[in-house]
Amino acid sequence: MLFDWAAQPFFTVVTTFVFGPYFVARLTEDPVAAQAMWSNMATVSSIVIALLSPVLGAIADQSGPRKPWIACFAVVKIASLAMLWFAAPGSALVWPVTFMILASIAAEFSIVFNDSMMPRLVPASEVGRVSNTAWGLGYLGGMVVLIFVVGFLAADPKTGVTILGMAPLFGLDPALGEDARITGPLAAGWYLLFILPMFFFTPDAKRGEPMKKAVLSGVRELSATLSELVTRRKTILRFLIARMLYQDGVNGLLILGGAFAAGMFGWATLEIGLFGILINVVAIFSCLAAGHLDRLSGSKTVVILSLVLLLIATLGIISTAPGYILFGLVPLSPVDTGGVFATSAEKVYLLFGALIGMAFGPVQASSRSYLSRSVHPDEAGRYFGIYALSGRATSFMATLSFSLVTYASGSARLGMAMLILFLLAGLVLLIGTRYPAVERPEER
């Protein structure tokens, strides 16, 4: 569980709510081009993750221990995040994009190995509860870091003080984006500190084959697993395809949602941070509730309900603009009342953000428990590698669709609308998929 606590601040304060919006709104003077560049970063990362995750998972099953892999990727992630400090306004975009790609790849590969440990550690009856609780603990960790950033580091560039009315700690200058740039080193240090309990106290798999032999065996095992999915385990294949589609939409919301708000409303680090705190508070309690619902009604029920909420939220987000909601059917007062979230449209956007907070944790945690209940511990590495593939194989399509539509139309709103297609397609396919995804004897 502490692995999720350690890993989440990268996604919360760097990718989604602070550094990502800073990259879009303040690193350059062209927010539309910056949004597309940020989307391209996610596309490249997703392609690499999709290609290599199944291979690494299969190798892990043959070599045995997962911790050495997690340690290697931790070094890459921590070093890359530390380098984000140098992404000052006006600097070339290529370097922060490169370090974000490396950090994203290392983070996702670490998750593959962490997730594949779970079937050995947790009884099948408790997988859903533990997975959702861990995910909620991750959001709590992300929120703690986000609150620290908003309260003590992020200042209004005009006044130079934080929301608590104090000067930023460490003498950070918001005019130079230092309050956003510090999130890279901060997330790196948090990750380094809190992954240590997993290394010290969590049992690992026994050592298997030597690495060279494990690589060859792993590649062969992966090929056999893919063949097995097509011929004998079609229910798991159907689930993985459904998850591939709806996870594309989820990834798109996580990567682009904060940047979209920053571009539309001109939100700075303070507003984005408060928005992120709202979402994370809702996410923590929704994950705890979803853990109990998962145990009572199953992972499939949780995933379906979450997808419905995400569809409503995404439709609401793209239909909202300064002055109206629902594509203009409902006008809103454009008057700026002062302070944060000063317009009616911004307040409505917060409500849709709360819906995302209710859904995007449980949809991922219960998807993880869905698969964990469907495979044997000895095959968890290769199947969670393919699971990572299903979450990333076409995730570049969501961000690529956003980029292409945004470039062609000049409207990030139309780009965000593409996410609805992925969420809806995954939901439709999942509804017809048996749970758990275990073949009946007569179907083998």
Side-chain angles (χ1 to χ4, degrees):
M1 289 186 181
L2 281 175
F3 177 89
D4 282 0
W5 166 275
Q8 184 60 36
F10 163 63
F11 300 103
T12 301
V13 299
V14 178
T15 302
T16 306
F17 293 118
V18 181
F19 187 83
Y22 161 76
F23 182 96
V24 169
R26 300 169 64 191
L27 198 55
T28 77
E29 296 181 354
D30 187 350
V32 173
Q35 285 189 63
M37 189 75 167
W38 190 252
S39 177
N40 292 340
M41 175 277 296
T43 300
V44 173
S45 303
S46 297
I47 292 174
V48 176
I49 293 164
L51 291 175
L52 294 184
S53 290
V55 178
L56 292 174
I59 293 172
D61 276 342
Q62 302 302 314
S63 63
R66 271 58 166 172
K67 292 181 184 179
W69 294 92
I70 297 175
C72 289
F73 292 123
V75 172
V76 176
K77 178 180 177 179
I78 291 168
S80 299
L81 288 177
M83 295 303 294
L84 296 182
W85 169 254
F86 300 102
S91 59
L93 297 181
V94 62
W95 292 114
V97 165
T98 299
F99 291 124
M100 277 298 302
I101 289 173
L102 291 173
S104 299
I105 291 171
E108 292 290 344
F109 285 165
S110 298
I111 290 171
V112 170
F113 292 106
N114 176 72
D115 288 354
S116 70
M117 295 171 70
M118 189 166 58
R120 294 183 181 275
L121 303 174
V122 184
S125 61
E126 293 295 307
V127 163
R129 182 186 63 83
V130 171
S131 183
N132 273 280
T133 303
W135 217 283
L137 188 63
Y139 287 134
L140 179 60
M143 188 181 70
V144 168
V145 176
L146 188 58
I147 289 174
F148 178 71
V149 171
V150 172
F152 298 96
L153 303 181
D156 187 331
K158 297 178 182 178
T159 64
V161 298
T162 72
I163 194 172
L164 299 179
M166 57 180 287
L169 295 181
F170 315 123
L172 298 176
D173 186 350
L176 298 178
E178 291 179 349
D179 53 349
R181 291 153 50 193
I182 194 65
T183 58
L186 181 61
W190 181 278
Y191 186 66
L192 174 61
L193 177 62
F194 288 112
I195 59 171
L196 295 180
M198 184 274 293
F199 282 108
F200 291 151
F201 304 117
T202 304
D204 205 350
K206 295 181 180 179
R207 185 168 301 278
E209 299 176 347
M211 184 53 63
K212 182 177 180 180
K213 186 176 181 181
V215 171
L216 296 176
S217 299
V219 172
R220 287 196 300 268
E221 190 69 22
L222 174 61
S223 176
T225 302
L226 294 174
S227 176
E228 181 181 77
L229 278 172
V230 174
T231 58
R232 296 197 302 112
R233 308 187 79 168
K234 294 181 180 179
T235 305
I236 291 182
L237 177 62
R238 184 184 177 96
F239 163 69
L240 290 173
I241 293 174
R243 194 250 177 182
M244 176 179 69
L245 293 169
Y246 67 69
Q247 190 63 40
D248 288 356
V250 174
N251 289 339
L253 279 174
L254 295 178
I255 294 168
L256 303 170
F260 178 73
M264 179 165 61
F265 296 117
W267 285 354
T269 301
L270 178 61
E271 289 86 356
I272 289 291
L274 292 173
F275 180 63
I277 290 172
L278 167 69
I279 289 180
N280 276 273
V281 169
V282 175
I284 292 166
F285 290 103
S286 69
C287 282
L288 295 176
H292 293 290
L293 181 61
D294 189 298
R295 185 171 57 181
L296 295 173
S297 301
S299 304
K300 182 177 179 179
T301 299
V302 175
V303 174
I304 288 175
L305 290 176
S306 298
L307 289 175
V308 171
L309 289 177
L310 287 173
L311 281 167
I312 294 172
T314 307
L315 182 62
I317 283 173
I318 65 173
S319 70
T320 301
Y324 65 81
I325 188 178
L326 297 179
F327 304 104
L329 295 178
V330 179
L332 298 173
S333 172
V335 175
D336 188 328
T337 59
V340 296
F341 312 125
T343 66
S344 297
E346 289 174 276
K347 294 179 175 65
V348 170
Y349 198 95
L350 293 180
L351 295 178
F352 292 125
L355 285 182
I356 294 175
M358 290 177 62
F360 80 120
V363 74
Q364 296 176 92
S366 286
S367 294
R368 181 167 65 176
S369 62
Y370 197 126
L371 180 64
S372 187
R373 286 190 174 108
S374 303
V375 299
H376 190 273
D378 290 338
E379 59 186 7
R382 54 194 172 104
Y383 272 101
F384 270 103
I386 296 174
Y387 177 81
L389 168 65
S390 75
R392 290 291 183 174
T394 58
S395 62
F396 69 90
M397 291 299 296
T399 51
L400 180 61
S401 298
F402 173 89
S403 297
L404 292 176
V405 172
T406 300
Y407 277 132
S409 65
S411 170
R413 189 183 312 280
L414 292 178
M416 288 291 289
M418 301 302 296
L419 302 182
I420 291 178
L421 302 179
F422 292 94
L423 293 170
L424 185 60
L427 173 61
V428 170
L429 187 58
L430 182 71
I431 289 174
T433 302
R434 187 168 61 250
Y435 168 79
V438 178
E439 307 300 325
R440 298 190 178 103
E442 65 270 18
E443 296 173 322
R444 294 197 171 199

